[in-house]
Amino acid sequence: MSDLITVSISDSTTSLPDSDAYSTLEASQHAQLLSSGMSPSDLLAYITKKKTLETYRLNLQLYKTSGWTIDSTITRNSVILNAAAALETLNRRIEAIYLLENNIFLGEDVDSDLEDEPMHPSFMLALSKLYFKDDLGLDALKLVDKLITLFSSTQNPTQIQHQRIADAYYLAGWICIHMDDHSKAYEYWIKGSLDVPGDENLSRQKGKRDLWDGSVGGEERRGCEELDVFGSCFFEGFLRERDFSAFKVSPELKTSTPALSLFEPSTQKDELVFLSKKPILTATECSNVVEIVNTFIDNNLSGEWSTVRSSTVKTTDVAVEDIPQLRGWLKVVMEDRLWPMLECLYPRLSDGTSLIDSDGKSRMRLHDAFIVRYDMDDESISLPEHSDTSSMSFTLSLNERGKDFEGGGTWFEAINKEGGKVVDGDLGRVTAFAGPLRHAGYPIIRGTRVILVLFCYVEGFGYGKYIKEYQEKYRLCEEEESKEEVVNEDGIKASGDKPGGYVVYRQTVELANMLSKENF
């Protein structure tokens, strides 16, 4: 019975049970379903749903029964949490939220003697996760702030309490990321890493700031020279009109492009995408970077590319922060080339400030950097339409079109009203664009394409409110809900993607795991 009681809030699937794991009658029923044409994946979904319903009904019965005892680990709170988890698994999130908010089972007239008492911490954390997954960011943030305050005053917290406060800090940061305020997110993560030392998720986020922030040291520059990563550096500054091809948002699509709201219109001139006319990275540099990445994959990942994304499509990438030989190189590239380039391309933000602070230093910060591979052999050939959670993003080509691959590039929906436009440069060239601008990785048709992708933000510039105001002004939320996907006779969209695929740059595997695990 206890196996039925516990259910995690999870989107993951499990293997089909062996025949000895359930009754002969069930096995016979499942065999009949398969013989009638049901696919194994549909059968697994059917079994999962059935077992989850049984779990919910069992916990409901336990709640209604007075004086029940199973074992010392089963409590009133765990019964409610398990029932809410079952509802979430059944895609009945509204009911799960209602259950946790009210401490009662739906449809049951149960008098609660706890109505005037504060919500239990386990309920608060579970509810904040459900709020977050339901795009109720402000409600979720209020709850995790209460949790953090509650745990901060706790003397000698238990291991479970330590994990809850770590999850609360981690979730708070991601709520801020989804609200487009990276600076606030890192405030939560850094404070959390100090309050709960040793938590892997918080330590990783703090480690990013320790790694990427600050000026480049002499040792890092010497390390790059010793690796011969640079090739020849030749930069003396950038001029927007001379050094870049600019792509404007189509006039007909301006009201449906909230990315425009990040910048001062008079200086940006509707130009949100730029392609460098000359290489930003030299051919020697690109070749050495690819070699370092491949060696890292062979030595540390058994030659297997993987991903940290939560996605329904196959994506393969590796974080630059995980490759020690490339850390100093990327810091040098950012300071010497990429940050000055952004200052040239995006001179004025919507709040009237620039990318330079009062001390003359760049306000640009790196949130994430990845080497991404598109490969025909493993079918990771494209990336569906999405928006980045970043102020600005980059893609830099690390291998050669024609020689190493064909096809590819970045497709932007708003540049051309007739099906968008693919923008891509040759080896070493960079495509820079506003992160909230809807785009896709256009499919390759041969070979292997390798690119460097960077997601950046501006310190102290939370742009979420500008996006929201723009959406409300032009009633974009209503338009998105009624917008139909336009595909050709083969089911392919203008971006090159088949309907149904999605990628979540806003969510990592670590976040998905934290959202799904039990908390009691």
Side-chain angles (χ1 to χ4, degrees):
M1 181 178 288
S2 60
D3 289 340
L4 286 177
I5 293 172
T6 301
V7 174
S8 62
I9 303 176
S10 176
D11 296 325
S12 63
T13 58
T14 56
S15 300
L16 196 65
D18 295 328
S19 59
D20 60 356
Y22 54 106
S23 72
T24 303
L25 177 60
E26 286 179 308
S28 175
Q29 291 174 339
H30 297 163
Q32 289 178 3
L33 290 172
L34 287 173
S35 64
S36 68
M38 179 179 284
S39 68
S41 60
D42 287 342
L43 175 59
L44 179 55
Y46 166 79
I47 294 171
T48 302
K49 182 175 181 179
K50 181 179 178 182
K51 294 296 184 183
T52 306
L53 278 168
E54 291 174 358
T55 299
Y56 175 67
R57 289 164 181 162
L58 174 60
N59 283 278
L60 172 59
Q61 186 61 40
L62 287 173
Y63 185 87
K64 292 165 61 178
T65 304
S66 61
W68 51 264
T69 302
I70 298 178
D71 61 54
S72 60
T73 65
I74 306 303
T75 66
R76 179 183 186 278
N77 286 338
S78 65
V79 167
I80 294 174
L81 284 167
N82 281 318
L87 287 168
E88 166 67 7
T89 304
L90 293 167
N91 295 318
R92 293 163 63 179
R93 183 174 299 153
I94 293 177
E95 297 171 67
I97 289 173
Y98 184 88
L99 173 60
L100 292 174
E101 286 178 335
N102 295 275
N103 278 355
I104 61 172
F105 279 87
L106 296 180
E108 298 302 314
D109 186 13
V110 181
D111 292 328
S112 172
D113 57 357
L114 301 176
E115 290 181 356
D116 296 328
E117 295 187 15
M119 181 178 287
H120 190 276
S122 60
F123 284 28
M124 295 171 69
L125 185 56
L127 186 56
S128 64
K129 291 179 181 182
L130 294 178
Y131 282 156
F132 175 70
K133 293 167 79 171
D134 211 41
D135 291 328
L136 300 172
L138 289 176
D139 292 328
L141 194 59
K142 289 177 183 178
L143 269 182
V144 292
D145 278 337
K146 288 181 180 179
L147 265 175
I148 290 170
T149 301
L150 174 64
F151 287 131
S152 297
S153 62
T154 302
Q155 299 295 324
N156 301 316
T158 66
Q159 183 176 353
I160 292 177
Q161 289 172 323
H162 266 295
Q163 189 56 60
R164 283 181 183 150
I165 189 172
D167 287 349
Y169 272 118
Y170 190 60
L171 181 56
W174 277 106
I175 293 168
C176 293
I177 291 290
H178 281 228
M179 294 169 65
D180 302 314
D181 191 340
H182 289 69
S183 300
K184 188 67 174 178
Y186 280 105
E187 287 180 17
Y188 275 109
W189 287 333
I190 291 171
K191 187 175 187 306
S193 69
L194 299 175
D195 287 354
V196 193
D199 181 79
E200 185 175 349
N201 288 336
L202 294 172
S203 296
R204 183 177 181 89
Q205 297 299 338
K206 181 179 183 298
K208 287 184 183 181
R209 299 278 51 85
D210 294 339
L211 173 61
W212 300 124
D213 289 357
S215 299
V216 177
E219 184 175 344
E220 290 171 316
R221 289 186 180 276
R222 287 190 295 273
C224 292
E225 293 168 0
E226 290 172 3
L227 287 170
D228 192 29
V229 172
F230 285 130
S232 59
C233 293
F234 49 85
F235 293 97
E236 298 178 355
F238 297 98
L239 292 176
R240 186 165 163 177
E241 292 77 13
R242 181 193 69 190
D243 298 326
F244 298 93
S245 298
F247 300 89
K248 288 182 177 250
V249 173
S250 175
E252 296 85 354
L253 300 178
K254 285 179 61 174
T255 59
S256 60
T257 307
L260 288 166
S261 68
L262 272 65
F263 309 102
E264 167 58 42
S266 63
T267 55
Q268 206 57 45
K269 303 174 182 178
D270 297 335
E271 297 173 346
L272 296 185
V273 180
F274 298 88
L275 174 65
S276 63
K277 295 180 180 179
K278 295 181 179 180
I280 298 296
L281 306 177
T282 67
T284 301
E285 195 170 12
C286 292
S287 176
N288 287 336
V289 169
V290 171
E291 182 179 351
I292 289 170
V293 172
N294 287 333
T295 300
F296 175 84
I297 296 290
D298 289 340
N299 294 342
N300 297 274
L301 301 176
S302 302
E304 296 292 330
W305 284 73
S306 58
T307 185
V308 299
R309 319 272 186 223
S310 176
S311 173
T312 61
V313 294
K314 189 174 180 62
T315 57
T316 54
D317 48 60
V318 60
V320 175
E321 67 195 80
D322 292 336
I323 308 177
Q325 289 175 288
L326 293 184
R327 295 170 185 167
W329 163 76
L330 184 54
K331 289 183 68 173
V332 172
V333 169
M334 290 189 300
E335 183 172 289
D336 289 1
R337 307 177 221 178
L338 298 182
W339 293 168
M341 185 181 79
L342 286 183
E343 292 159 13
C344 167
L345 300 179
Y346 302 96
R348 187 73 46 185
L349 300 172
S350 52
D351 62 0
T353 64
S354 73
L355 302 186
I356 305 296
D357 65 19
S358 57
D359 295 327
K361 298 180 180 179
S362 177
R363 296 171 61 198
M364 292 306 306
R365 301 290 185 270
L366 179 63
H367 174 55
D368 268 326
F370 295 92
I371 306 293
V372 178
R373 185 186 72 165
Y374 296 101
D375 188 86
M376 290 297 295
D377 290 340
D378 64 14
E379 299 181 354
S380 56
I381 64 173
S382 64
L383 205 59
E385 300 172 37
H386 63 283
S387 299
D388 297 341
T389 304
S390 63
S391 301
M392 300 89 163
S393 296
F394 296 99
T395 63
L396 295 100
S397 300
L398 295 178
N399 63 346
E400 195 169 346
R401 181 184 303 278
K403 175 183 176 183
D404 300 311
F405 68 93
E406 294 288 350
T410 307
W411 173 88
F412 294 96
E413 182 179 52
I415 291 178
N416 182 352
K417 69 174 182 176
E418 302 296 336
K421 182 176 180 60
V422 177
V423 176
D424 193 40
D426 296 328
L427 183 69
R429 293 171 67 186
V430 61
T431 302
F433 55 94
L437 189 63
R438 192 162 179 80
H439 60 283
Y442 204 71
I444 62 169
I445 58 176
R446 180 186 67 81
T448 300
R449 181 182 188 229
V450 184
I451 59 175
L452 171 64
V453 177
L454 293 90
F455 306 135
C456 312
Y457 68 97
V458 184
E459 181 62 36
F461 179 62
Y463 61 88
K465 63 179 181 180
Y466 300 104
I467 293 283
K468 184 177 180 181
E469 289 171 359
Y470 199 94
Q471 290 173 330
E472 291 175 348
K473 179 179 180 181
Y474 295 108
R475 304 172 68 88
L476 292 182
C477 294
E478 295 178 10
E479 289 183 12
E480 284 296 319
E481 291 177 0
S482 61
K483 184 178 179 180
E484 295 184 5
E485 288 185 342
V486 179
V487 300
N488 64 18
E489 61 274 11
D490 298 319
I492 307 298
K493 295 185 284 188
S495 60
D497 295 308
K498 297 178 181 178
Y502 73 91
V503 64
V504 185
Y505 273 114
R506 298 156 67 92
Q507 182 165 306
T508 64
V509 171
E510 289 86 355
L511 175 60
N513 290 340
M514 189 278 291
L515 290 172
S516 68
K517 70 184 178 183
E518 301 158 13
N519 291 282
F520 47 90

